Amino acid sequence: MSRRLEHLWGHRRFTVLATALAATVAALLPPAPAAAETTQQRGWTGTWATAQHAAYDPGTSEVTVRIPVRVSAGGSSVRIRLTNGFSTEPVTIGHATVGLRGGGSAVRKPQQLRFGGKSEVTIAAGEQAASDQVRLTVPARSDLVVSLYFPGRLTHVSQHWMGLQTVYWTPDGGGDHASDSDGDAFTQTDSTFPFLTGVDVRGGNAAGAVVALGDSITDGAASTSNANRRWPDYLAGRLSACSTTAGVLNEGISGNRITAGADGNPSALDRLERDVLSQPGARTVVLFEGVNDLSWGGATGDQVIDGMKEIVRRAHERGLRVIGATVVPYRGWGDWWTEAKEADRQKVNTFVRDGGVFDGYAEFDKAVRDPDDPTRYGAAFDSGDHLHPNDTGMKAFADAVDLAGLRVARDCPSARVRLTPYRPTLQADGDGTEITSTVTNTGPRAVTQVRSRLDLPDGWSAEPAGSTRTRFLAPGDSATVTWTVTPAADAVWGTHQLGVRTSFVQDGRRRHDSDSVDATVAPAPSEVRAPYLTTATTTEKAQYAQNGDQFAIWAGGQDLSGWKDEKAAVYLADAAPPSGTVTARVVGQTGSGPSAKAGIAVANDLTEPEAGGYAVLTMSAQYGLEFLTDSDGDGKLDTWAGGGSSYHPAWLKLVRDGTACTAYASSDGTAWQQVGTATVPSANGTGDAGLVASAVNLNYPGQITTALFDSFSTHD
């Protein structure tokens, strides 16, 4: 990871506990497991893991947390591992359960967890605890949910902060809901993994575990949240198709380095015992670090190489294989790249490939670099910051790992299929879009009878250019099919998953592989139907579209606050009650500057804001939530509340009670936060309510914003 992400972490709303560095290092560097501990680990295979590395004070009491995790290998029994590694105080878990996820924060038949036969466990500062075995059939690549109840005051949370997964909490004082099947009590959310550091299984067909030791790229930075699209997730998917599978444990920490650590972010060497060597069933390590050392970390290529040698030496002493991953290009990422640092990167990569120390290597560099400029990411794999890959880049890393070289899985499919482009855009009511499937034989022998088909949403169509079958595919060869894909005429605007399935014959046996991409159906301007009306106060011509309950607005406008009121709106006349609620969801906003606004508005008359009662709640990229009101009835929005980070989709709600107006926002439509409250003296009787957008293009002349909405409603 970058210093940029470290900076973001440092300014999170949580306050990192001031833990003594010596105590932290001691907690991270336990002695080698004793014989009794080795016996305790026997038979278990890690199926999910994360590296705890910080703590914060949540300021809550009597709360329950519900943590969904995607396991890699399956089994017939399960246990969890908890850590209190970053604290000076003990923590008590009063009740814990585990069960298969039922969707959202719901759990199917949560099973009680015990620790040494007891339902409650207290974990001392710097210590860990493992639950007793629970009989539970856990399918490979399924979602488990771990629930932990904390009695009394929760003084701290030991965490892995970049979870990229919604984690659910009860509100302060919510009590024990660990055994709830439904998720109704869990009204607050976060995206960090608290206390949970591992999930293990036994009784499955895994022959061991692969540990991914890395930094923010391994941690999943820039991959799609709540979608399990980190490269170790894709690797787990590949391994799950083998006759004998393996667990995959993600031990990535943003900002991690080999040559040095920091408080709350120990170096790869310092955390090797905790995060790798002591993992249940660990057989192989994929070491993917070095870019932070070489870029902003100030290390030389020789120092990185020396650190890699030490990691390999210690892993070999414990009987683990080590696969080295080449360091990725990063030119264009901030101002960290120089010719001298590039020379060091090449030196490290030469060592990984040819140094004779690793048991094998994964060509991550080659997998994502631009062939025309190998110092940079290829555009198809770049998330946009020129260091972290998008989902396609994550797939490319997983594809670059030789499964046979891991020595933990047998009889794996050798042909892989991939769809491109990364995120295709299809126009509603437009011509078809070309999407290409590519099948590559990565095995040592030919495969035959290759067949591919697309999986599309209902009503969609796809026409291939040429045959979808290939009779023979030699080792290293690829076959492509380009499809023209057309969405259904009534396709919902937004994201739709498109999939491809490929079958082939390998060693006389038919095998399969699959891939998917997120395709976006974009709206095209159309009529807005009654009873909805439109109004605009911009010099640029506004356009609108409606698709059932969905609406789109293309708007210019210099601003929507203070001395400007330039916007476009879709609204309902006389729909805002004197005491009631207006709610909508902003699905997304693109195409303009950082201050462009999209949200909901109420007024006595939206076509004449000076008629009074004017209030607006929007989301903008630069300022997050913005609650704007007119304090004196002149039609100008002269009061402001809000702030924070931007997110989409964003549920927005204005609650009016006479002249009092209160704004709320939510990321899921369930857990609401109050943005602000204001008095709007000129509000009078029933008013208009609508959806509003402004490009705020004062400094971006002529630019247009595109805002998408759904779920617009008003009620008393």
Side-chain angles (χ1 to χ4, degrees):
M1 153 175 161
S2 59
R3 276 189 174 174
R4 176 178 65 86
L5 286 176
E6 279 197 316
H7 176 78
L8 290 175
W9 171 56
H11 287 77
R12 285 170 53 80
R13 63 184 176 88
F14 306 125
T15 301
V16 176
L17 292 178
T19 305
L21 181 59
T24 300
V25 173
L28 293 173
L29 296 173
E37 293 172 319
T38 303
T39 301
Q40 184 186 32
Q41 299 280 45
R42 192 168 297 148
W44 289 104
T45 296
T47 187
W48 178 90
T50 194
Q52 300 283 339
H53 62 103
Y56 69 93
D57 182 351
T60 57
S61 300
E62 295 288 333
V63 292
T64 306
V65 65
R66 184 155 277 182
I67 313 164
V69 298
R70 171 66 57 87
V71 303
S72 49
S76 58
S77 296
V78 66
R79 72 174 185 181
I80 69 169
R81 288 178 284 124
L82 304 170
T83 185
N84 190 26
F86 290 85
S87 172
T88 57
E89 301 178 49
V91 66
T92 296
I93 290 91
H95 186 197
T97 63
V98 65
L100 295 175
R101 192 175 190 180
S105 55
V107 184
R108 304 202 307 265
K109 297 180 179 179
Q111 303 293 308
Q112 306 299 312
L113 288 169
R114 294 186 177 275
F115 300 82
K118 300 179 180 179
S119 59
E120 181 176 290
V121 61
T122 297
I123 310 173
E127 298 299 321
Q128 300 185 23
S131 74
D132 301 338
Q133 172 178 310
V134 171
R135 296 286 297 178
L136 177 67
T137 299
V138 180
R141 305 289 292 144
S142 63
D143 289 340
L144 281 182
V145 176
V146 174
S147 301
L148 307 173
Y149 162 62
F150 305 96
R153 171 77 162 85
L154 182 57
T155 61
H156 63 279
V157 172
S158 184
Q159 63 161 346
H160 178 94
W161 76 261
M162 194 171 72
L164 295 175
Q165 170 68 58
T166 299
V167 172
Y168 303 89
W169 292 82
T170 60
D172 186 30
D176 182 5
H177 291 274
S179 290
D180 291 6
S181 293
D182 62 57
D184 295 347
F186 297 86
T187 59
Q188 298 184 359
T189 61
D190 198 351
S191 59
T192 68
F193 292 125
F195 295 105
L196 184 66
T197 192
V199 178
D200 308 326
V201 292
R202 65 183 356 159
N205 67 342
V210 178
V211 184
L213 180 60
D215 50 37
S216 62
I217 300 176
T218 298
D219 212 3
S223 68
T224 301
S225 297
N226 288 313
N228 301 298
R229 294 180 181 177
R230 313 162 189 88
W231 73 260
D233 295 319
Y234 285 117
L235 179 61
R238 290 188 61 203
L239 287 166
S240 68
C242 303
S243 297
T244 301
T245 64
V248 178
L249 307 180
N250 188 332
E251 298 289 358
I253 299 178
S254 292
N256 204 232
R257 289 175 285 167
I258 294 173
T259 58
D263 190 14
N265 199 335
S267 72
L269 283 163
D270 287 341
R271 65 189 183 97
L272 186 66
E273 176 67 42
R274 182 197 71 171
D275 290 344
V276 178
L277 304 182
S278 63
Q279 292 298 315
R283 300 288 181 268
T284 301
V285 187
V286 180
L287 175 61
F288 182 30
E289 294 224 28
V291 70
N292 292 325
D293 301 81
L294 297 173
S295 57
W296 57 265
T300 66
D302 287 334
Q303 289 172 324
V304 173
I305 289 169
D306 287 343
M308 289 179 166
K309 288 178 179 178
E310 178 67 10
I311 290 173
V312 173
R313 182 190 66 78
R314 289 172 57 188
H316 282 172
E317 286 179 351
R318 301 285 283 274
L320 275 68
R321 291 173 58 80
V322 186
I323 305 300
T326 48
V327 181
V328 294
Y330 62 91
R331 189 172 187 175
W333 175 54
D335 57 359
W336 297 113
W337 185 92
T338 66
E339 293 282 359
K341 291 177 180 180
E342 177 65 19
D344 273 336
R345 186 179 75 91
Q346 295 298 338
K347 185 174 187 178
V348 171
N349 283 350
T350 298
F351 166 76
V352 171
R353 298 178 184 112
D354 306 323
V357 172
F358 289 101
D359 299 294
Y361 69 92
E363 190 55 274
F364 284 11
D365 170 36
K366 185 177 179 180
V368 298
R369 71 192 185 198
D370 184 346
D372 296 325
D373 184 355
T375 66
R376 298 179 183 271
Y377 264 80
F381 308 111
D382 192 349
S383 68
D385 69 5
H386 312 304
L387 172 67
H388 300 96
N390 56 27
D391 293 353
T392 296
M394 292 290 185
K395 292 178 191 176
F397 289 153
D399 287 349
V401 177
D402 175 22
L403 300 188
L406 298 175
R407 302 284 178 88
V408 287
R410 293 187 298 104
D411 189 26
C412 300
S414 62
R416 296 198 296 277
V417 64
R418 290 290 177 251
L419 280 179
T420 54
Y422 162 52
R423 283 188 173 171
T425 297
L426 297 85
Q427 196 74 37
D429 298 324
D431 296 332
T433 299
E434 289 189 349
I435 297 175
T436 299
S437 63
T438 303
V439 182
T440 302
N441 181 10
T442 62
R445 293 181 292 276
V447 298
T448 58
Q449 301 180 39
V450 181
R451 305 170 185 170
S452 298
R453 66 178 177 85
L454 288 187
D455 289 338
L456 303 172
D458 290 343
W460 291 42
S461 64
E463 292 294 330
S467 176
T468 61
R469 300 188 178 192
T470 300
R471 295 180 58 186
F472 182 91
L473 202 58
D477 283 356
S478 297
T480 63
V481 180
T482 297
W483 317 70
T484 299
V485 179
T486 305
D490 59 351
V492 173
W493 305 331
T495 301
H496 299 259
Q497 190 172 86
L498 308 184
V500 62
R501 296 179 183 271
T502 293
S503 67
F504 53 93
V505 174
Q506 173 184 332
D507 297 328
R509 177 184 168 195
R510 185 158 288 280
R511 308 297 292 269
H512 302 84
D513 193 42
S514 62
D515 189 28
S516 63
V517 295
D518 290 336
T520 299
V521 175
S526 63
E527 291 185 354
V528 172
R529 298 184 296 276
Y532 292 97
L533 304 169
T534 63
T535 185
T537 56
T538 62
T539 56
E540 303 89 352
K541 181 182 178 181
Q543 292 182 294
Y544 312 90
Q546 182 180 0
N547 182 18
D549 293 332
Q550 293 183 297
F551 296 90
I553 300 175
W554 290 264
Q558 292 190 30
D559 207 345
L560 184 56
S561 64
W563 57 284
K564 293 286 186 183
D565 181 48
E566 299 189 6
K567 65 183 183 296
V570 174
Y571 71 100
L572 291 171
D574 299 324
S579 293
T581 301
V582 177
T583 307
R585 189 171 77 149
V586 184
V587 179
Q589 184 179 20
T590 59
S592 187
S595 300
K597 297 176 173 63
I600 53 179
V602 295
N604 295 343
D605 183 346
L606 275 175
T607 66
E608 297 184 19
E610 61 273 14
Y614 195 20
V616 173
L617 175 61
T618 67
M619 180 68 76
S620 70
Q622 181 170 339
Y623 298 107
L625 292 161
E626 298 192 66
F627 176 41
L628 311 166
T629 56
D630 176 8
S631 67
D632 55 13
D634 66 353
K636 304 299 183 183
L637 297 169
D638 51 22
T639 64
W640 184 96
S645 59
S646 175
Y647 55 85
H648 290 100
W651 288 88
L652 304 178
K653 179 166 63 176
L654 286 174
V655 178
R656 181 184 162 198
D657 184 7
T659 60
C661 192
T662 306
Y664 299 88
S666 171
S667 61
D668 60 4
T670 301
W672 293 89
Q673 69 174 97
Q674 183 172 314
V675 181
T677 187
T679 299
V680 186
S682 54
N684 182 22
T686 301
D688 298 345
L691 306 167
V692 63
S694 176
V696 191
N697 59 16
L698 182 65
N699 296 320
Y700 304 86
Q703 286 199 8
I704 299 295
T705 190
T706 302
L708 301 181
F709 307 84
D710 62 13
S711 303
F712 177 64
S713 65
T714 65
H715 57 85
D716 293 335

